[in-house]
Amino acid sequence: MNPKARSAELQPCANSDGSGRAEVLRSCAIVAVAFAATCASAAIPRSPADELKSFQLADTNLVVELVAAEPAIRAPVAIAWDADARLYVAEMTDYPSGPISGRIRLLEDRDGDGRYEHSQIFATNLAFPNGMMPWKNGILVTAAPDIWFLADTNGDGVADARERVLTGFAEGNQQLRVNGLFWGIDNWIYGANGRSDGEIKWADGTPAGSIRRHDFRFRPDTKQFEAIAGNSQFGMGHDDWGNRFPVFNNMPIRHVVIEEKYLASLAGIDLTPNISPTNDGNRVFAITSPNLLIPQPIGFFTSACGPSIFRGTGLPENYRGNYFVCEPVQNIVQRRVLKPSGSTFHAEYAHTNAEFLASSDPWFHGVFTATGPDGAFHIVDMYRDLVEHPHWVAPELRDKVDWRKGEEHGRIWRIRAKDAKLDRAPKLSRASNAELSAHLENRNGWIRDTAQRLLAERRATNQVPALKQLARAARAAETRVCSLNLLAEFTPTNLDLLVDALADSHPRVRETALRLIETIRPDGLPIGSALLQEQFRTNLLARCDDPDARVRLQAACYWSLVPGDAARTKFARIALNRELDAWQSMLIVAGVRAQKFQAALQAYLLLHDQLGPLLDSGAEEQLTLLERLAGVIGAKGDDRETTDFVNWLRDLRSRNRLLLLAGFVEAAPPKERGEFASIISTNELLDIARGQEPARLRIAAIRIAAARADAANVLKSFVPLLQHETPESIQGPLVRFCLDLFDPDLTRAVLDHWSECSKAVRRQIIALSARQPRSAEPLIDALERRTVPLVEVDASSRSALQKSGVAEVRQRAMKLFASAASDDRQAVVAKYRPALTMTADRTRGAALFEKNCTVCHQMQGVGAKVGPDLSGVGQQPRETLLVQILDPSSAVLPDYVAYTATTKDDESYTGFLVNESADSITLRRANEPDITLRRADLKELATSGKSLMPDGLEAAITIQDMADLLEFLRRPDRTLFTQSK
């Protein structure tokens, strides 16, 4: 597999229909085909023994062993073991483009030597099968548009029963389809979206639900189906406790922190953040130049896939719980160590400038990883020449390459410690229920999972006494968690067990108890004796003060769903913890909004006179929470409550009262906002804004001024703050609040200070002014007078001006930029072609990149994360880069298509969709933060199908500039940037 999305800016140089590009593509085609021919001549398949010699392990105490290879397997992409440790292999023999011939292979190691010597075809004629999971007496298989249940009912090793379970998964690119089934700790089956989405139905036609931009979980026997947070591409890591770690081409790891149901009252929250350290750039450390037909970034993730958490016994103890992910294009498997970071994790490199496994054989393509029944770590190697997909190349090249070269190969490797004694997995299908319960104590996660699954499938209620004993007294926390989840399936509420679990010595058991209480009795009042109920309440309350951040997070999740006033004091206790983090804070705000408590802020945080000390000495996140809660009161619009709150603020002596007032007035109904904002005089606000207070308070003063009824006039007195001496952290918010008013005179006042603003703020002024006609006119005036140089207008803003809904603005913009940009992309590329052979200056190219490209892109950690990271584009031919820069929409994927949202107030926002729900959308934009818009406020949401990066970069650079830029892109170096010095 090679599940990756190409950037809209760096796409193959052809229209999606292949038209109108023959001349432009001719030289690109020659270069690419020659490059492919060179690779093909240099790269030939090696025997498994010779490939084994190509492996380089960062840890020399480990060893790699072959467990299966051709002809026993062919084109493997995923594996799964059944209860008897027989190995099922998904063979995508129809990759990359069909015809449909995918199949499932069944392997057996009958002599127990670690090699699968027996092989047979289990099922055929499947459409690009890419994921499996044993279930009941067969296996579930993902093969879009379906999930199938396949079973061998007569014992001959061949599936004679085939039943469709779910259907409706979209048949997108073969790399981007539903996949990644696994058994969850909560007894649900989980799956990865694949990024093709779908409207899912059960086999009988009953609607199941949409998975647009979501992963999913389901229960076939009860026909339960849920879309869940995440949108994993190929595979999904999961740990012993139920944490999920999706993967996304150039992002090797993300974490599902919480589910959407807890934040239903908030919009636009990314619940699956990238948890790589911010400074690592998602680098990889390959030891060979891979075979590439499609130019790829080298040295950085482009095709991350097949992740897993190691949960076995065959590697050293410090490997347990580590995250592993494949990068097939660059022939490595990477290992990361998960370190707690508040409510989530940081995934840090396990090795320094090296990979867990790297191969010097360019045919090695690890695509899937798993912990096996023997406790060892396994890698699926789709051993072949190319794993790229022809969809990503220009049509002129697709018939010139043997995309299936080497498809008859395939290998599966296992890695273990040299001194490890691997398990010989028991035949669990034949185990009694009592034996399965005993296996829950096994240290091998595969054995625990399988034992738990079989007990759930058998409805083994006769094991309730044994499971209760394990839940209380099992030595391993993993066993206690498994037992609690099974008991939740088999019996009514076990209040005594929950009381004990809430006070367990291990935080993950306490977290599990909170999650189970939520599913059993969301009102928090299980049935039991008075003494037990009192103990239950005591232990439940104590979790709000738990020393573990994820336990406190789950406590906040639980109380956000509890109806009535019971959650008030619980939220207060969570909020008062000095280690409150943003995730816990969001849950408290969501709970407050959902419950519509009276006197919300006072009810939570005036308890025991805590608000005053928090305002004066609270941590940053606590101040943020107070501000958000003040916004909850403002949004409610309750006359008595808001009046009381404003009066209280008026008398408050804390300097941080401005934070509360800013949050309050911004959320208040527009008709009342100005009155509330006037409780502090303009002069006092101005003194604070230009004084020596912390930046947060200075910005709060600007926010309050912007909420005044006469905001445009008030902010004019703030505009002189736009001077060289004022920090960018103040300039930026001031510009935003001024230009958000769309007042022409105020916009002109801001533009008059253009030369005194920082580079980033000047970019912001352009972007904000271009989005609405009332502010676009002053910008056009400044451009015509050359007060603002034309070269300062980025391509996106230029496009917005030229497409304005007001004819006069549109016509003036077209005239301004008429000589700078051409609609004929082919002619533009031809004009700039001399740059390919000119003498170039890489240092000048770095300056051009920093000025023109870091608005949207990062290069080796410098720049914005709007578009994709371009750190590794140096391997692309100059010809390809030239076309992709000047004609960015020649081929564009849905991830990077530009959308324009127009509100009912005629405000226009352009970006690409990063989140959407039934109620809102979130756009990612250049020069501005993500913006979330309610669908109810939209007049139109439209896309042209083009890249977010518009045409017209040539308006800002000469042919010599292009030569310099290409030289830098081919040999990038962040030390050449001014902001790195």
Side-chain angles (χ1 to χ4, degrees):
M1 300 295 290
N2 179 20
K4 52 187 168 289
R6 295 292 176 272
S7 72
E9 293 78 356
L10 294 171
Q11 292 289 333
C13 45
N15 283 334
S16 58
D17 62 0
S19 64
R21 289 289 184 271
E23 292 301 319
V24 175
L25 285 165
R26 186 168 292 118
S27 64
C28 290
I30 293 171
V31 170
V33 171
F35 183 57
T38 300
C39 290
S41 64
I44 58 174
R46 305 181 189 183
S47 68
D50 285 339
E51 186 191 8
L52 180 60
K53 297 174 185 177
S54 79
F55 293 145
Q56 184 179 103
L57 291 167
D59 187 344
T60 57
N61 293 314
L62 307 182
V63 62
V64 185
E65 298 171 328
L66 183 72
V67 297
E70 68 277 359
I73 57 172
R74 174 183 169 192
V77 296
I79 56 177
W81 291 267
D82 70 8
D84 291 333
R86 299 186 304 171
L87 181 60
Y88 291 87
V89 183
E91 296 186 332
M92 199 182 283
T93 50
D94 37 8
Y95 182 83
S97 302
I100 292 173
S101 62
R103 59 197 189 185
I104 305 299
R105 178 88 65 165
L106 176 59
L107 304 180
E108 293 184 72
D109 173 16
R110 293 179 175 176
D111 59 11
D113 66 352
R115 291 288 297 269
Y116 292 89
E117 74 282 349
H118 182 79
S119 171
Q120 68 183 105
I121 302 299
F122 181 74
T124 60
N125 197 33
L126 292 164
F128 306 99
N130 59 1
M132 300 162 299
M133 195 203 85
W135 184 66
K136 294 197 171 178
N137 63 332
I139 59 171
L140 296 167
V141 177
T142 54
D146 306 307
I147 292 180
W148 295 94
F149 174 65
L150 308 178
D152 167 19
T153 64
N154 58 15
D156 63 355
V158 177
D160 51 80
R162 181 180 298 209
E163 176 185 346
R164 183 182 285 109
V165 179
L166 288 163
T167 191
F169 297 96
E171 297 176 79
N173 181 283
Q174 288 83 354
Q175 299 172 350
L176 308 174
R177 298 183 175 201
V178 58
N179 67 88
L181 300 180
F182 68 88
W183 180 263
I185 192 70
D186 56 2
N187 306 307
W188 287 69
I189 296 169
Y190 284 77
N193 178 303
R195 296 178 53 228
S196 288
D197 300 334
E199 301 295 322
I200 314 306
K201 297 180 180 180
W202 294 98
D204 63 4
T206 305
S210 171
I211 60 166
R212 183 171 173 81
R213 294 180 182 269
H214 289 77
D215 291 322
F216 63 97
R217 67 175 188 169
F218 66 105
R219 292 189 174 196
D221 46 356
T222 58
K223 292 184 69 171
Q224 293 172 273
F225 184 96
E226 293 181 6
I228 56 177
N231 186 13
S232 199
Q233 191 160 296
F234 187 71
M236 190 189 320
H238 61 284
D239 66 11
D240 288 323
W241 321 110
N243 288 298
R244 304 195 312 280
F245 301 93
V247 68
F248 189 95
N249 61 79
N250 63 347
M251 280 187 279
I253 182 170
R254 296 181 293 161
H255 176 219
V256 179
V257 184
I258 48 180
E259 293 293 343
E260 289 179 353
K261 64 180 179 180
Y262 301 113
L263 294 177
S265 63
L266 301 179
I269 307 298
D270 182 3
L271 303 177
T272 314
N274 179 1
I275 60 171
S276 299
T278 56
N279 63 348
D280 78 6
N282 294 332
R283 294 167 296 166
V284 300
F285 302 95
I287 61 173
T288 188
S289 296
N291 287 355
L292 294 176
L293 176 63
I294 307 168
Q296 310 270 354
I298 301 300
F300 298 85
F301 270 100
T302 65
S303 54
C305 64
S308 68
I309 303 290
F310 181 67
R311 304 168 59 222
T313 56
L315 295 177
E317 184 64 25
N318 63 325
Y319 281 72
R320 288 178 66 87
N322 287 184
Y323 179 85
F324 292 83
V325 62
C326 300
E327 164 62 27
V329 168
Q330 295 175 79
N331 321 111
I332 64 100
V333 176
Q334 188 171 99
R335 171 190 169 209
R336 294 196 176 215
V337 178
L338 295 175
K339 295 191 175 180
S341 176
S343 295
T344 181
F345 302 88
H346 275 156
E348 299 182 356
Y349 282 102
H351 308 287
T352 302
N353 298 332
E355 296 296 356
F356 170 75
L357 181 145
S359 175
S360 59
D361 183 353
W363 280 47
F364 167 71
H365 300 298
V367 295
F368 192 87
T369 62
T371 301
D374 57 4
F377 179 72
H378 290 70
I379 300 171
V380 175
D381 176 8
M382 194 182 184
Y383 193 81
R384 58 168 57 199
D385 187 11
L386 298 170
V387 287
E388 286 95 343
H389 194 283
H391 174 87
W392 310 119
V393 304
E396 287 81 355
L397 305 182
R398 292 174 187 168
D399 297 332
K400 295 179 173 62
V401 176
D402 182 3
W403 294 98
R404 300 173 71 98
K405 181 181 178 182
E407 57 144 350
E408 69 275 15
H409 297 284
R411 287 110 192 236
I412 299 173
W413 306 93
R414 76 175 179 187
I415 302 179
R416 62 175 178 85
K418 290 179 179 178
D419 60 354
K421 291 185 178 180
L422 298 182
D423 302 322
R424 182 163 185 177
K427 304 290 186 180
L428 294 181
S429 70
R430 306 170 193 175
S432 68
N433 290 347
E435 289 171 329
L436 291 176
S437 294
H439 282 307
L440 294 178
E441 297 196 85
N442 197 295
R443 295 188 73 246
N444 184 340
W446 181 90
I447 292 178
R448 288 198 311 276
D449 286 353
T450 304
Q452 181 180 345
R453 174 176 63 82
L454 292 174
L455 287 168
E457 289 176 0
R458 295 177 184 182
R459 299 296 299 172
T461 56
N462 67 333
Q463 291 304 296
V464 167
L467 292 172
K468 287 184 176 181
Q469 180 63 23
L470 288 173
R472 283 195 175 94
R475 181 182 63 178
E478 294 89 339
T479 302
R480 302 199 292 277
V481 166
C482 286
S483 302
L484 286 168
N485 278 286
L486 281 169
L487 286 167
E489 289 286 304
F490 297 157
T491 66
T493 304
N494 293 283
L495 183 55
D496 55 340
L497 286 177
L498 292 175
V499 167
D500 291 343
L502 284 169
D504 193 276
S505 61
H506 199 286
R508 302 289 73 82
V509 179
R510 302 195 296 271
E511 181 185 354
T512 298
L514 285 166
R515 191 175 292 118
L516 291 176
I517 292 166
E518 172 194 313
T519 61
I520 297 168
R521 292 297 297 259
D523 60 2
L525 294 173
I527 299 171
S529 69
L531 178 59
L532 269 179
Q533 288 217 13
E534 183 58 32
Q535 289 177 326
F536 172 78
R537 291 189 183 95
T538 299
N539 290 355
L540 185 59
L541 181 60
R543 300 291 63 80
C544 298
D545 304 314
D546 199 280
D548 184 84
R550 282 201 61 81
V551 175
R552 295 196 304 276
L553 179 78
Q554 194 59 43
C557 288
Y558 173 77
W559 289 110
S560 71
L561 299 179
V562 174
D565 295 341
R568 290 181 178 179
T569 56
K570 320 308 187 298
F571 281 156
R573 292 180 68 150
I574 296 169
L576 292 172
N577 191 297
R578 293 289 298 183
E579 295 183 3
L580 178 76
D581 69 17
W583 296 99
Q584 298 158 17
S585 179
M586 282 189 291
L587 280 164
I588 293 172
V589 174
V592 171
R593 291 183 55 157
Q595 303 295 4
K596 298 182 174 60
F597 296 124
Q598 294 297 311
L601 190 66
Q602 294 91 324
Y604 283 86
L605 297 170
L606 283 180
L607 300 172
H608 310 297
D609 299 320
Q610 293 289 349
L611 183 56
L614 271 181
L615 277 176
D616 290 332
S617 61
E620 193 72 11
E621 189 55 47
Q622 289 172 317
L623 293 176
T624 299
L625 172 60
L626 293 173
E627 184 180 323
R628 289 173 173 169
L629 290 175
V632 174
I633 297 177
K636 287 172 62 177
D638 180 278
D639 290 341
R640 178 187 60 78
E641 186 175 338
T642 54
T643 300
D644 289 346
F645 182 70
V646 171
N647 289 336
W648 174 77
L649 274 183
R650 198 192 311 270
D651 296 333
L652 192 62
R653 292 292 170 258
S654 171
R655 64 177 186 172
N656 286 326
R657 68 175 180 152
L658 263 70
L659 301 177
L660 301 184
L661 182 59
F664 175 81
V665 298
E666 286 177 341
K671 293 182 180 179
E672 303 172 13
R673 195 172 298 161
E675 176 187 349
F676 296 140
S678 299
I679 71 170
I680 298 180
S681 69
T682 299
N683 288 337
E684 183 179 354
L685 293 173
L686 187 56
D687 287 343
I688 294 171
R690 62 190 176 192
Q692 300 301 314
E693 295 284 1
R696 184 168 188 160
L697 287 181
R698 297 175 68 183
I699 295 169
I702 296 170
R703 293 164 59 195
I704 295 168
R708 297 278 292 267
D710 55 346
N713 290 328
V714 171
L715 285 179
K716 284 179 184 177
S717 60
F718 286 71
V719 169
L721 282 171
L722 296 175
Q723 53 185 292
H724 296 300
E725 294 78 12
T726 302
E728 187 178 293
S729 61
I730 305 299
Q731 285 190 357
L734 176 56
V735 163
R736 178 165 60 86
F737 283 104
C738 287
L739 298 187
D740 274 351
L741 295 174
F742 304 121
D743 181 88
D745 292 337
L746 185 56
T747 302
R748 289 188 180 92
V750 170
L751 287 165
D752 286 343
H753 286 75
W754 171 268
S755 62
E756 298 177 86
C757 295
S758 71
K759 177 174 64 177
V761 173
R762 293 201 304 270
R763 288 174 172 175
Q764 186 180 11
I765 292 172
I766 294 288
L768 291 170
S769 300
R771 65 181 170 160
Q772 218 272 354
R774 283 176 290 174
S775 54
E777 290 185 16
L779 175 59
I780 293 289
D781 292 340
L783 291 168
E784 290 174 339
R785 296 194 309 267
R786 298 302 189 261
T787 305
V788 175
L790 285 176
V791 72
E792 292 273 9
V793 184
D794 61 274
S796 179
S797 297
R798 183 168 63 249
S799 177
L801 292 170
Q802 291 175 317
K803 296 176 181 178
S804 172
V806 174
E808 182 182 355
V809 171
R810 184 171 64 251
Q811 291 165 4
R812 292 171 68 188
M814 294 293 288
K815 182 178 179 181
L816 267 172
F817 300 110
S819 61
S822 169
D823 288 335
D824 187 344
R825 294 290 93 198
Q826 184 174 337
V828 171
V829 172
K831 176 183 175 182
Y832 277 76
R833 190 166 297 283
L836 298 174
T837 56
M838 296 173 67
T839 301
D841 184 332
R842 185 167 66 129
T843 301
R844 286 193 71 250
L848 287 161
F849 185 94
E850 188 172 11
K851 177 181 178 181
N852 295 287
C853 307
T854 54
V855 176
C856 293
H857 300 284
Q858 280 207 337
M859 171 66 78
Q860 298 179 353
V862 176
K865 292 184 177 181
V866 179
D869 192 311
L870 303 184
S871 300
V873 298
Q875 293 294 313
Q876 302 203 29
R878 281 181 170 81
E879 291 88 345
T880 303
L881 288 171
L882 179 71
V883 176
Q884 293 167 347
I885 290 169
L886 295 174
D887 193 2
S889 293
S890 57
V892 58
L893 288 175
D895 289 337
Y896 296 104
V897 167
Y899 282 79
T900 298
T902 305
T903 70
K904 294 175 181 176
D905 295 329
D906 289 324
E907 296 177 34
S908 180
Y909 304 90
T910 298
F912 62 80
L913 282 171
V914 291
N915 272 308
E916 63 176 320
S917 68
D919 302 318
S920 66
I921 63 164
T922 300
L923 295 175
R924 180 152 295 160
R925 307 169 292 162
N927 296 313
E928 276 290 281
D930 292 355
I931 185 168
T932 298
L933 301 168
R934 294 194 314 148
R935 290 189 184 273
D937 295 332
L938 295 181
K939 181 165 63 177
E940 183 181 39
L941 178 65
T943 178
S944 63
K946 291 189 174 183
S947 165
L948 181 60
M949 176 181 172
D951 301 334
L953 182 63
E954 70 274 11
I957 62 175
T958 65
I959 297 175
Q960 179 62 58
D961 289 340
M962 178 63 77
D964 297 336
L965 178 59
L966 291 173
E967 180 67 16
F968 172 73
L969 289 173
R970 291 279 292 172
R971 296 188 297 129
D973 182 354
R974 64 166 286 157
T975 64
L976 298 176
F977 293 136
T978 58
Q979 56 188 296
S980 294
K981 298 177 180 178

